[in-house]
Amino acid sequence: MATAFRRIASSPRCLSIANKSSTKQPSIQRSWFASASPSWPSGEDDNTPSLTKLFNPTDDHVALREMVRSFTEREVEPQALEYNRTESLNVPLFRKLGSDNGGMGILGLTVPEEFGGTGLHDATAVSIVHEELSYSDPAFCLSYLAHSILLANNLSVNGNEEQLAHILPGVCDGSKIGGMCMSEPNAGTDVLGMRTNAVYDSARNGYVLNGTKMWITNGTLTGEETGDLFLVYARTGSGRADITQFIVEGGMEGFSLGQKINDKLGMRASPTAELVFENVFLPSANVVGDVNGATICMMRNLEIERVALAAMAVGIARRALDEMIAYASSRPAFGKPNLYGFGQIQKHITESYSEYMAGKCYLYGFANGLDLSTYGNGLDADGVKLYCAPMAKNVADRAIQVMGGYGYVGEYKVERLWRDAKLLEIGGGTNESHHKNMSRDLLRLDGNKLE
């Protein structure tokens, strides 16, 4: 498959993950160990600084970061403000992330190659892509997350061979754009309180789906109709955990757009919708995994979703820091050539950098050891998002403060980063849900000490 990543990764220095199944050189003062620039040694070089190895552990990770960073600078950055203002997804640009027509080939990042994907079933690769895209446009990246992780990765892990062969090629090449439906108007964090239900119809060997899903990313691409394809969770039994996952395609009778959610605080370039299901008939072939067995699918995919959201937070924080540093370096005040001589500014910048680096180390330290085929990794999946989401918001807030009035307007970017960062404390699990989950998991240590 001739994708951009395949061309880069097939070079002699970029083969390790396959076996495992702006590009300017920064100065020493600009975080040499956090750089992903191609001018720095690869992660597999024994002389590479340890933090560079943490963030880019293999040559393939270096190549992937180079490719996505270059694409982001060239294609994503110039359009971010416009699509934020129009509250719409740049669909042609999104399709360039797919494998059609020499595209990037990362819409199916974790999907096996035989079904059209890149074959990087790798949480570190997921983190790199989400960090780099979010540096310029977190909203665009959020739509990418819904499609590549909530839809493509979920189906590739939990679906059967027939479903993967039928559905995933279109998801990976970008001809189909979609997401996942879990939240409802009255069931967000309390996901097992969902009321959408699917009743088995033995005469037709299928299920009749009824209900409403809310806050669905990529729920509409046009504002007039639904997106192309969704994995939908629905209640199929009397037990609280009797949840089943179904494939629902746009155009099915009874499946409609309730409303496009406009005037959001942030993530405006990522479409959000209410979706309605009225007697939608789904053949049994559309069941993903076991009937009444989707809770495990849900929890496993929530783990990598939270890692991806934490990576988005790291990307937001890195951009806010870059903007803050550049402004403070060039703004004269009170007879001084820049703002670095003022203790208040020093505090904002240095605390932001320290928190950013702590979050980035937590993210990649966890991602490098995460097996996407497993579940039960919730303590640190929750933990890394719980730390990184407010960290990103706080760093963006400090950037606004350092830049004053300029930081408050859209042209200078950091106000958008601040608005976008807030969603990360809500979507994919609220801060409060992470508190609950982590407290439960820590209690289960039953007196065992942390390593």
Side-chain angles (χ1 to χ4, degrees):
M1 180 178 58
T3 68
F5 181 70
R6 192 63 54 202
R7 290 192 293 271
I8 292 174
S10 62
S11 64
R13 59 186 289 271
C14 301
L15 296 172
S16 55
I17 291 183
N19 294 331
K20 172 187 174 185
S21 217
S22 132
T23 61
K24 66 180 180 180
Q25 178 170 324
S27 66
I28 294 298
Q29 290 81 5
R30 290 296 301 279
S31 184
W32 56 269
F33 49 80
S35 171
S37 168
S39 59
W40 289 95
S42 75
E44 295 176 8
D45 187 334
D46 288 340
N47 296 318
T48 302
S50 60
L51 284 176
T52 300
K53 289 182 180 179
L54 179 65
F55 305 148
N56 303 290
T58 71
D59 284 346
D60 263 5
H61 292 120
V62 173
L64 179 64
R65 193 184 292 275
E66 289 174 9
M67 182 190 74
V68 179
R69 182 171 293 192
S70 176
F71 177 84
T72 300
E73 291 176 348
R74 184 179 69 253
E75 302 270 7
V76 179
E77 178 68 25
Q79 57 83 61
L81 181 58
E82 174 190 351
Y83 283 86
N84 170 75
R85 287 173 172 167
T86 60
E87 298 191 49
S88 58
L89 175 66
N90 186 340
V91 174
L93 180 62
F94 191 89
R95 295 194 197 279
K96 287 186 178 182
L97 300 177
S99 56
D100 264 3
N101 302 315
M104 293 275 284
I106 58 172
L107 286 180
L109 185 68
T110 65
V111 173
E113 292 183 66
E114 63 188 288
F115 300 113
T118 313
L120 301 183
H121 199 60
D122 179 310
T124 303
V126 170
S127 299
I128 287 170
V129 173
H130 285 81
E131 179 192 344
E132 294 298 331
L133 289 175
S134 289
Y135 182 87
S136 286
D137 194 343
F140 182 78
C141 185
L142 187 68
S143 280
Y144 170 78
L145 185 157
H147 182 94
S148 69
I149 300 300
L150 305 187
L151 172 58
N153 181 73
N154 191 340
L155 184 60
S156 71
V157 171
N158 299 303
N160 59 42
E161 290 285 321
E162 292 77 13
Q163 292 168 340
L164 271 56
H166 174 64
I167 297 292
L168 286 178
V171 172
C172 295
D173 67 25
S175 59
K176 301 282 189 180
I177 299 176
M180 179 270 290
C181 301
M182 186 164 63
S183 294
E184 298 185 1
N186 293 305
T189 298
D190 181 20
V191 63
L192 295 183
M194 69 175 63
R195 301 179 66 179
T196 296
N197 66 88
V199 177
Y200 183 66
D201 183 340
S202 59
R204 294 189 286 174
N205 188 26
Y207 291 79
V208 179
L209 178 67
N210 283 282
T212 301
K213 295 294 184 178
M214 193 67 167
W215 315 117
I216 307 305
T217 301
N218 299 341
T220 180
L221 305 177
T222 64
E224 303 294 331
E225 56 193 11
T226 72
D228 299 321
L229 183 69
F230 299 90
L231 294 180
V232 179
Y233 291 98
R235 183 163 300 287
T236 47
S238 58
R240 181 168 168 78
D242 287 346
I243 306 295
T244 303
Q245 189 171 203
F246 297 90
I247 297 168
V248 178
E249 299 185 61
M252 284 184 163
E253 184 176 356
F255 177 37
S256 64
L257 174 66
Q259 59 176 319
K260 179 178 183 287
I261 310 298
N262 292 310
D263 201 26
K264 296 179 295 184
L265 172 71
M267 300 294 185
R268 293 189 166 205
S270 176
T272 308
E274 176 189 43
L275 299 179
V276 179
F277 308 88
E278 296 179 301
N279 295 320
V280 179
F281 177 72
L282 302 172
S284 291
N286 284 38
V287 174
V288 177
D290 297 329
V291 174
N292 295 334
T295 302
I296 290 177
C297 304
M298 182 191 304
M299 297 309 168
R300 177 165 47 213
N301 216 59
L302 275 171
E303 291 175 0
I304 186 58
E305 177 187 5
R306 287 165 179 167
V307 170
L309 289 166
M312 289 181 61
V314 168
I316 290 172
R318 178 160 61 88
R319 180 56 177 275
L321 260 168
D322 279 348
E323 297 295 329
M324 191 188 329
I325 291 168
Y327 183 87
S329 300
S330 60
R331 173 65 187 258
F334 298 101
K336 296 183 181 296
N338 57 54
L339 302 181
Y340 271 84
F342 301 99
Q344 303 98 321
I345 304 302
Q346 295 168 358
K347 183 176 188 293
H348 285 316
I349 293 175
T350 56
E351 288 186 353
S352 294
Y353 174 78
S354 299
E355 292 170 13
Y356 155 71
M357 283 302 299
K360 189 165 186 171
C361 289
Y362 191 0
L363 169 66
Y364 286 98
F366 177 54
N368 290 348
L370 180 61
D371 182 348
L372 297 187
S373 65
T374 66
Y375 64 94
N377 310 290
L379 177 60
D380 285 305
D382 280 280
V384 71
K385 180 174 172 291
L386 176 63
Y387 180 82
C388 288
M391 177 274 292
K393 186 187 69 174
N394 292 340
V395 171
D397 188 81
R398 294 189 193 113
I400 294 172
Q401 199 68 23
V402 167
M403 297 169 71
Y406 292 103
Y408 199 68
V409 297
E411 181 182 353
Y412 284 78
K413 302 178 180 65
V414 291
E415 63 86 27
R416 173 167 54 87
L417 297 175
W418 181 84
R419 291 187 289 105
D420 288 349
K422 180 59 189 176
L423 184 276
L424 304 180
E425 296 186 315
I426 301 170
T430 62
N431 289 352
E432 293 75 18
S433 71
H434 300 322
H435 296 154
K436 174 180 67 70
N437 296 341
M438 294 175 70
S439 296
R440 176 199 62 213
D441 292 343
L442 288 167
L443 179 62
R444 288 174 179 169
L445 290 176
D446 193 27
N448 292 326
K449 297 184 183 299
L450 297 171
E451 295 182 4

